Amino acid sequence: MNIRNIAIIAHVDHGKTTLVDKILHATKVFRDNQDTGELIMDSNDLERERGITIFSKNAAVVYKDIKINVIDTPGHSDFGGEVERVLKMADGVVLLVDAFEGPMPQTRFVLQKALALGLKPIVVINKVDKPNCRPDEVHDAVFELFFNLDATEEQLDFPTFYGSGKNGWFNDSLTQIDNINPLLDGIVKFVPEPKVNEGALQMQITSLDYSSFLGRIAVGKVARGVIKENQQIALMQADGAIKKMKIKELYVFEGMGKKKVSQVIAGDICAVVGLEEFNIGDTIADVENPEALPVISVDEPTMSMLFGINNSPFFGKEGKFVTSRHLRDRLMKETEKNLALRVEDTDSADSFLVFGRGILHLGVLIETMRREGFELTVGQPQVLVKQINGAKHEPYEILVVDVPSEYSGKVIDLVTQRKGEMLIMETKGEMQHLEFEIPSRGLIGLRSTMLTGTAGEAVMAHRFSEYKPWKGPIPGRNNGVLLSKTTERTTGYSIDKLQDRGRFFVDPGEDVYAGQIIAEHIKPGDLVVNATEAKKLTNHRASGSDDASKAAPKILMTLEECMEYIQADECIEVTPKNVRLRKTILNEEDRKRVSKAMASEMA
């Protein structure tokens, strides 16, 4: 069997997708004169804009008459659910590590999953052309990481390759060459052929594809037996139900696309068309002798947000999908392919609790829905609290910060204010490497304040560690907000007069409504202001006082920054054209009544 199945895993930005590009070029998937651009596998618009991989993808190349199925995986811990399930299709992993940064939190997370599945690792130390890189130290750190993760003797004996994905070379030593053939030879030599058991057909569905012509497509690795076109099969579901179905078409991966085939043998990865109502984790089995494979388990979500319909005065002006039925159907559809996501109904028919892995995980979902034409409101992210032995526990994360030495004091100060405890402090070249244990709550809103405090120099990464006892209150945002008094269009005249009260999120000439957050107050406490007043025109003119109004440009915040910014009584209105911050209760009198009632309850 001339097949190798490999997954490429690494921390975010260590060069996974660039390596896949080089493998595709080295194996002549494209014509020599074909312009393919960079990061070929990141085909989704959001992935291209953000420069990160969000969805895992398959490609297949042929090298020396051996077919190599390559799986590109995301590097962000928020998309860990995506990595966990696609590793089931692989027999070996290529672990990429940056020659300067060394093993990072996500390196540890994905490696732990790969070792637990018994996959054969190949270590690639990438970016050895960077200044200050330290490949030998990094190799020792990787070995130590393997050892700490209880790797077997066989896994500890991993082959190592060095090189630069950007410059297109990888070698088993630090000698620079002009191709990546040594790495491809290493994959063929060290990654075992797929393990195939004797017996009837078994194939687990580990990911989903979709085509507007063919509908939903099931993707997975054939574990044993042979799967054929027009074959009758049994679909075995997680709840124990067994459905009889017929396979219409079969495809295997070839280059960046798929090739139609009549049958697929055990060990290869294929796409199956014609199944209905299947979910990730279901087993395709022999109709006469059905046997299920163990269900895929994915780590639990750690954060929740309230998604509701848009109930602002501007409701329905920009979106196509605005009702709670549209919202519910879309969220339920997302849970089919996004295993780390959960959706629950609430007491209100207009809102749903959505559970995810982190701010970025939920932010990508909201951004995708916005581009599809949905209007919705989302509340403040909340961490999931558990009762363990009668005590309140919350999720903790390991936070890693690399920062120039002069800013390390500022970073330590910011993290300890949010109940973080320092575990490690060491010097890496000109940078200080700091590791903390911090409640997940403390991370919400930390990134923006840390970048401000370190002049944009801090590089931070974090991963979920465990549930530990509740740490008590954590200080949130210090400043209050300025709220619009009226529903009208803002004027430069009013904003100019209010500049000393706060920093604005809106420009002159924008439509705002009562209860919308239009600026950050310079003091604690909220203030209702009128930013829509026009200048009264009279016959009198005075030199000096009639200069044109000078409004500073508005502060632009990304969706994730908005999610980190809002407080418990605020929410974000998301429409295809705008992202607005607002109070959950728009009417000022109603807000006062609710806050008085809450204050009397507390008393």
Side-chain angles (χ1 to χ4, degrees), residues 9-10 12 16 44 46-47 50-56 72-87 106 109-110 113 298-299 334 337-341 356-368 462-463 560:
I9 59 173
V12 64
K16 293 178 296 299
N44 177 287
L46 268 178
E47 294 181 315
R50 292 165 183 255
I52 59 171
T53 304
I54 297 171
F55 308 104
S56 62
D72 185 19
T73 64
H76 259 284
S77 54
D78 284 27
F79 308 115
E82 192 84 9
V83 182
E84 283 174 62
R85 59 185 170 78
V86 297
L87 285 177
Q106 186 63 7
F109 173 82
V110 288
K113 300 288 176 194
V298 172
D299 285 358
E334 186 67 25
K337 64 175 189 291
N338 199 334
L339 282 199
L341 199 79
R357 272 286 188 60
I359 296 254
L360 189 64
H361 186 207
L362 293 166
V364 165
L365 169 63
I366 297 164
E367 182 64 37
T368 309
H462 52 88
R463 66 177 171 87
E560 280 85 30

Side-chain angles (χ1 to χ4, degrees), residues 285-299:
D286 184 66
V287 74
E288 302 295 330
N289 183 18
E291 284 180 65
L293 286 160
V295 178
I296 297 173
S297 62
V298 172
D299 285 358

Side-chain angles (χ1 to χ4, degrees), residues 202-456:
Q202 266 189 329
M203 169 182 156
Q204 188 157 46
I205 299 170
T206 43
S207 85
L208 289 181
D209 210 343
Y210 184 79
S211 149
S212 46
F213 300 108
L214 304 169
R216 291 171 75 218
I217 301 169
V219 179
K221 183 171 87 170
V222 183
R224 69 180 197 203
V226 178
I227 189 166
K228 297 177 180 171
E229 207 172 20
N230 298 322
Q231 183 180 356
Q232 289 285 345
I233 55 104
L235 183 72
M236 308 186 71
Q237 301 190 301
D239 57 5
I242 300 178
K243 297 178 181 171
K244 291 191 177 173
M245 293 185 189
K246 185 179 176 184
I247 290 168
K248 287 183 186 162
E249 292 178 0
L250 277 178
Y251 293 85
V252 290
F253 291 91
E254 185 174 74
M256 296 287 297
K258 299 185 186 81
K259 180 177 80 170
K260 192 174 176 195
V261 291
S262 58
Q263 67 169 39
V264 180
I265 56 169
D268 205 351
I269 295 173
C270 70
V272 180
V273 176
L275 306 183
E276 289 167 18
E277 296 178 7
F278 64 83
N279 291 309
I280 288 174
D282 292 355
T283 304
I284 296 172
D286 184 66
V287 74
E288 302 295 330
N289 183 18
E291 284 180 65
L293 286 160
V295 178
I296 297 173
S297 62
V298 172
D299 285 358
E300 290 288 300
T302 55
M303 198 166 271
S304 72
M305 282 177 84
L306 197 65
F307 281 48
I309 59 167
N310 183 10
N311 56 3
S312 82
F314 296 164
F315 154 82
K317 284 189 177 178
E318 296 171 7
K320 288 188 290 189
F321 308 111
V322 293
T323 65
S324 57
R325 184 177 61 81
H326 284 137
L327 185 60
R328 184 191 163 81
D329 290 351
R330 176 66 181 83
L331 289 172
M332 291 306 174
K333 188 177 156 199
E334 186 67 25
T335 56
E336 289 178 3
K337 64 175 189 291
N338 199 334
L339 282 199
L341 199 79
R342 281 213 322 265
V343 178
E344 285 179 10
D345 292 316
T346 61
D347 301 339
S348 158
D350 293 340
S351 54
F352 308 93
L353 259 181
V354 180
F355 299 87
R357 272 286 188 60
I359 296 254
L360 189 64
H361 186 207
L362 293 166
V364 165
L365 169 63
I366 297 164
E367 182 64 37
T368 309
M369 288 172 67
R370 178 172 100 100
R371 293 180 183 207
E372 289 170 4
F374 282 83
E375 281 193 16
L376 64 154
T377 56
V378 292
Q380 185 190 28
Q382 305 284 348
V383 299
L384 297 188
V385 178
K386 286 184 180 177
Q387 291 290 336
I388 302 174
N389 300 330
K392 193 173 170 185
H393 283 61
E394 64 175 328
Y396 274 65
E397 309 222 5
I398 299 292
L399 169 68
V400 176
V401 185
D402 286 309
V403 68
S405 311
E406 65 263 33
Y407 295 116
S408 57
K410 183 73 182 167
V411 170
I412 294 166
D413 188 35
L414 282 170
V415 177
T416 45
Q417 279 174 19
R418 290 164 176 262
K419 301 282 198 287
E421 289 179 14
M422 191 157 71
L423 306 173
I424 294 173
M425 180 176 186
E426 57 190 25
T427 307
K428 267 191 192 175
E430 296 162 13
M431 306 286 271
Q432 283 284 15
H433 175 81
L434 309 168
E435 287 190 25
F436 303 90
E437 186 175 61
I438 182 171
S440 297
R441 287 179 300 143
L443 288 171
I444 298 174
L446 177 65
R447 187 177 294 273
S448 50
T449 49
M450 189 174 286
L451 287 175
T452 309
T454 61

